[in-house]
Every structure is written in C-alpha cells, then in structure tokens.
Amino acid sequence: MKTTTIDLKVKYFGTPVVLISSLNPDGTPNLAPMSSAWWLGDCCMLGLGNSSQTAENIRRTGECVLNLASAELVDVVDRLEG
Ligand SMILES: Cc1cc2nc3c(=O)[nH]c(=O)nc-3n(C[C@H](O)[C@H](O)[C@H](O)COP(=O)(O)O)c2cc1C
C-alpha cells in the first residue's frame, strides 16, 4: 500500500462550538465562540488563546461558563465567524 504524507498548515478540524462566557473587569458579560473544548471524564480541556479577553477574565476570576447551543440555535452558532 502506498502512503502519502500531507503537510497541512493546520492539523486541527475543531469540535462543536460552545459559547464561553466570562466576566469582564467592569462587570459586563463576555461571550466568545470556541471550538477547542472537550471533556475527559469530568475534566474539561480548553484550547484558548492566551491573549484573549476570555483568557484574561478566567485568570482573574477563576471561572467561566461553557454554553452548549440548543438544537434551535445550532444552525446560528455554526455560522459564527472569527
Ligand atoms: C467558530 C469559532 C471557533 C473558535 N474557537 C476558538 C477556540 O477554540 N479557541 C480560541 O482561543 N479562540 C477561538 N475562536 C476565536 C475567539 O472566539 C475570538 O478570538 C474571540 O474574539 C475572543 O474573544 P475575547 O477576546 O473577547 O475572549 C473561535 C472563533 C470562532 C468563530
């Protein structure tokens, strides 16, 4: 069997998008789409850009909420772009 190595720029195809909410320093909510969230047992792994406001908020408050889209919202969430 012949194998071909493909050198992709990004070896990542994402997972279903969650909306991650956190609290800004001024008390307002921050909502960002996120595709790198997955669970191992009862632990959640987040692949989050270090310089995002969300990351800063989580470092400051130690908390966030992962919002899973309802069936009615899935189509809208799937159309979110960065
Ligand atoms: C569909 C989609 C998925 C995304 N997934 C991630 C992700 O997994 N990790 C991440 O760091 N940013 C992800 N982003 C980018 C963040 O949502 C984007 O950087 C956002 O502006 C961060 O907002 P903040 O600076 O208010 O936290 C994604 C964007 C889109 C549209």
Side-chain angles (χ1 to χ4, degrees):
M1 182 172 74
K2 186 179 176 223
T3 58
T4 306
T5 302
I6 302 171
D7 188 21
L8 301 173
K9 277 190 183 163
V10 178
K11 298 178 178 64
Y12 163 73
F13 48 84
T15 49
V17 170
V18 302
L19 299 175
I20 182 169
S21 58
S22 58
L23 207 57
N24 291 321
D26 66 1
T28 58
N30 187 300
L31 197 62
M34 182 176 201
S35 56
S36 300
W38 64 96
W39 279 259
L40 296 169
D42 58 2
C43 287
C44 182
M45 180 76 71
L46 302 177
L48 184 61
N50 198 33
S51 60
S52 67
Q53 184 62 48
T54 301
E56 191 181 315
N57 290 345
I58 294 173
R59 279 193 295 269
R60 195 185 70 259
T61 65
E63 56 185 29
C64 67
V65 176
L66 299 181
N67 304 275
L68 306 181
S70 63
E72 298 81 49
L73 284 179
V74 164
D75 285 345
V76 183
V77 171
D78 279 348
R79 287 202 296 274
L80 290 174
E81 293 178 14

